[in-house]
Amino acid sequence: MINWLPRYLFNFVAFVLIQVLLLNNLQLSTFMNPYIYVLFIITLPFSTPRWLLLILGFITGLTLDIFMNTLGIHASATVFMAFLRPFVLSSFSPRDGYEPGTLPVPADYGFGWFFKYAAILVTTHHLFLFFVEAFSMADFFSILWKSILSALASLIFIFIAMLFARNKSGTL
Amino acid sequence: MRNFFRFIIRYHFLLLFLLLEIISFSFIFNYNQYHRNFYLSSSNKISGFFYEQFSSVVEYFRLRKTNEELLRENSELRNQLEKTDFLSTTATRFYIDSIGSQRYRYTPAKVINNSVNKHFNYLTLNKGADDGILPDMGVISSRGLVGVVLNTSDSYSTVISLLNTRLQISARLRDTGFFGSLGWEGLNYRYATLSGIPAHASPSVGDAVVTSGYSSIFPENILIGTIDEISINQGEGFYDIRVLLSVDFKQLQYVHVVKKTGAEEQRELEKLNEDD
């Protein structure tokens, strides 16, 4: 476990900076706000204790909130996503479970598997995020549309990021 | 007691999840308590540092645009100067003391972080309390109104952008003088909505919308935008007016922070009426 520490510390800093410096400056459209920092939670090892997932989700979300002045909004969405991760992983697990020493990354389980897994988590994260942000169901469909478009954009960026992650560990 | 601990251990995942969500939502609901806390906003040292480093790289790509903007502002100021010179030859001018004569002081600042496509957009500036910037000061650019300072640290400050659904500005139609409240709807970064203009005001498309000068934040007559579309709000007797903002927030690079000398005095005085 201790071997993972520097690698994931690097991942954390890299994903947060890519998010706040590059992606937040893209300004594609009001309907397209990609958030790829969630990749940090998505690529954590299978053996990560579940309580640690939640704590890390909270810290990641809060860091983004501080950079973006949205106190609590990203934290709540990322904690929700971290909560769902074990359930999504177990429902997509291969017949004899995940092999020890592997990671939830395309290099280990293929792009098809990874995208099913990432798409569900990213979409729920974005839905949660945008509905909490708007805080009313008044323009339900525009927020739904925004979540779906943003999730699509995020997945495209996640795909590009994973192409750069050549080594098996899933680090950038 | 043992059962209690067993319960905690058994459901620790769910309980921790609920606890963290409660903390997050209490942050969201108590927004007004926490948003002045600069450790929890982008004016803190760490995020300010990253934003500044990054913007110093990006600014090279925009030098041409910045030059053009400066040139335009210079000629505008030169025009104003001519007008004042002309006045001074015909009218008698008398000087009060030097403090009283300047009601507003402007501090230039660079925008080191900005967004237009979020629900709550904020800017980060590279000047802070060390440069005399305080919360509740106005921020304008050469083209018009930008936002209000929210937080300051020693060397950075965060600004609530006009493109933030939490900001409402007191605005006035320049030609007729009717005033209302202007806010952003959260979708298109070029348009804001002006509400509260009474039905007998008869505004027309293209009219300028400016700051009212009633608040202690902005000087009077700072341009906000021009009327783009007018619709009457049935049953309320007020217009809903779509305003094309004069500032292109996507291109924003340099701004001026406005300090109204005597702003505290005005606020103190107005506070006396609050209990009525």
Side-chain angles (χ1 to χ4, degrees):
Chain A
M1 193 67 204
I2 203 73
N3 296 340
W4 302 109
L5 198 65
R7 182 175 288 162
Y8 280 98
L9 208 59
F10 173 82
N11 262 8
F12 178 81
V13 175
F15 287 141
V16 168
L17 288 186
I18 289 174
Q19 181 65 51
V20 299
L21 297 182
L22 297 177
L23 287 184
N24 282 357
N25 278 312
L26 269 184
Q27 321 275 0
L28 296 167
S29 127
T30 348
F31 282 100
M32 219 182 246
N33 292 218
Y35 291 109
I36 69 148
Y37 69 89
V38 293
L39 204 48
F40 174 69
I41 302 297
I42 291 178
T43 56
L44 284 170
F46 290 113
S47 57
T48 316
R50 297 194 298 173
W51 59 269
L52 188 62
L53 274 179
L54 293 177
I55 301 276
L56 289 175
F58 185 70
I59 293 173
T60 317
L62 203 62
T63 310
L64 262 292
D65 280 332
I66 288 172
F67 270 98
M68 296 172 63
N69 300 291
T70 50
L71 206 55
I73 295 176
H74 285 272
S76 63
T78 317
V79 167
F80 181 63
M81 195 193 79
F83 176 74
L84 289 183
R85 195 188 105 133
F87 302 110
V88 177
L89 272 182
S90 69
S91 67
F92 283 149
S93 88
R95 189 171 302 159
D96 18 297
Y98 297 103
E99 275 174 50
T102 57
L103 291 167
V105 291
D108 283 344
Y109 289 94
F111 269 101
W113 176 87
F114 180 76
F115 269 91
K116 266 193 298 184
Y117 159 63
I120 289 197
L121 287 185
V122 168
T123 311
T124 41
H125 171 270
H126 284 32
L127 277 169
F128 194 101
L129 178 79
F130 292 126
F131 274 105
V132 167
E133 187 183 67
F135 234 96
S136 71
M137 299 287 163
D139 38 2
F140 179 85
F141 285 104
S142 83
I143 295 169
L144 191 68
W145 185 226
K146 180 176 178 171
S147 310
I148 291 168
L149 276 183
S150 300
L152 274 178
S154 299
L155 285 168
I156 291 170
F157 282 110
I158 285 175
F159 179 74
I160 296 168
M162 292 324 270
L163 285 181
F164 281 103
R166 303 220 164 184
N167 54 344
K168 237 172 85 78
S169 64
T171 47
L172 283 179
Chain B
M1 201 61 191
R2 194 181 321 146
N3 281 337
F4 176 69
F5 282 121
R6 197 178 289 156
F7 175 81
I8 298 263
I9 289 166
R10 177 141 186 221
Y11 293 105
H12 73 279
F13 184 50
L14 186 66
L15 291 174
L16 184 64
F17 167 67
L18 292 176
L19 178 74
L20 291 175
E21 288 293 358
I22 289 169
I23 295 174
S24 304
F25 276 94
S26 74
F27 275 143
I28 299 172
F29 285 122
N30 298 322
Y31 164 80
N32 288 320
Q33 259 172 51
Y34 295 107
H35 78 304
R36 294 277 183 205
N37 183 334
F38 71 77
Y39 291 109
L40 297 176
S41 80
S42 70
S43 58
N44 77 54
K45 277 212 176 66
I46 299 170
S47 54
F49 170 80
F50 280 117
Y51 280 144
E52 181 150 43
Q53 293 303 311
F54 187 74
S55 92
S56 67
V57 175
V58 177
E59 86 180 319
Y60 285 105
F61 300 106
R62 295 193 189 149
L63 279 179
R64 190 199 180 98
K65 186 93 192 155
T66 312
N67 268 334
E68 282 167 9
E69 191 70 7
L70 281 175
L71 207 62
R72 194 190 57 80
E73 191 179 6
N74 264 341
S75 59
E76 229 167 59
L77 290 175
R78 208 173 282 260
N79 284 336
Q80 282 181 21
L81 209 61
E82 302 256 295
K83 270 188 233 153
T84 21
D85 273 353
F86 174 70
L87 274 179
S88 67
T89 53
T90 53
T92 325
R93 283 170 80 172
F94 52 91
Y95 295 90
I96 326 164
D97 70 342
S98 57
I99 303 168
S101 65
Q102 194 182 11
R103 286 183 64 209
Y104 297 99
R105 229 182 47 224
Y106 297 87
T107 313
K110 197 173 99 185
V111 178
I112 56 172
N113 182 53
N114 181 20
S115 69
V116 302
N117 62 343
K118 310 287 184 230
H119 201 70
F120 307 117
N121 292 300
Y122 293 87
L123 299 97
T124 311
L125 306 182
N126 72 337
K127 295 263 172 86
D130 286 351
D131 306 282
I133 292 174
L134 295 169
D136 284 331
M137 285 186 182
V139 179
I140 60 173
S141 81
S142 61
R143 288 187 182 268
L145 188 138
V146 172
V148 179
V149 175
L150 182 68
N151 255 315
T152 54
S153 64
D154 289 348
S155 36
Y156 301 105
S157 45
T158 36
V159 175
I160 285 208
S161 164
L162 185 54
L163 304 183
N164 187 314
T165 47
R166 282 173 175 146
L167 186 67
Q168 290 284 328
I169 298 278
S170 162
R172 186 165 62 90
L173 299 179
R174 188 166 62 191
D175 299 333
T176 51
F178 287 99
F179 63 94
S181 162
L182 181 119
W184 189 56
E185 303 273 285
L187 290 175
N188 191 330
Y189 76 99
R190 295 300 291 136
Y191 299 99
T193 305
L194 177 63
S195 50
I197 299 287
H200 59 274
S202 60
S204 50
V205 171
D207 281 359
V209 179
V210 297
T211 52
S212 69
Y214 291 150
S215 76
S216 54
I217 296 175
F218 292 106
E220 213 175 332
N221 285 330
I222 298 285
L223 188 65
I224 299 174
T226 47
I227 295 183
D228 183 67
E229 202 183 271
I230 303 165
S231 58
I232 186 101
N233 191 333
Q234 292 301 333
E236 283 191 38
F238 291 109
Y239 285 110
D240 280 332
I241 296 175
R242 191 163 78 147
V243 178
L244 175 65
L245 298 174
S246 59
V247 176
D248 182 351
F249 281 83
K250 242 184 196 174
Q251 309 285 347
L252 204 56
Q253 275 206 76
Y254 288 91
V255 292
H256 302 279
V257 182
V258 189
K259 181 185 167 54
K260 183 175 188 178
T261 47
E264 296 87 356
E265 201 177 324
Q266 183 181 349
R267 243 170 267 154
E268 296 265 303
L269 190 64
E270 284 171 355
K271 215 179 243 170
L272 297 176
N273 304 342
E274 259 174 24
D275 300 331
D276 294 348

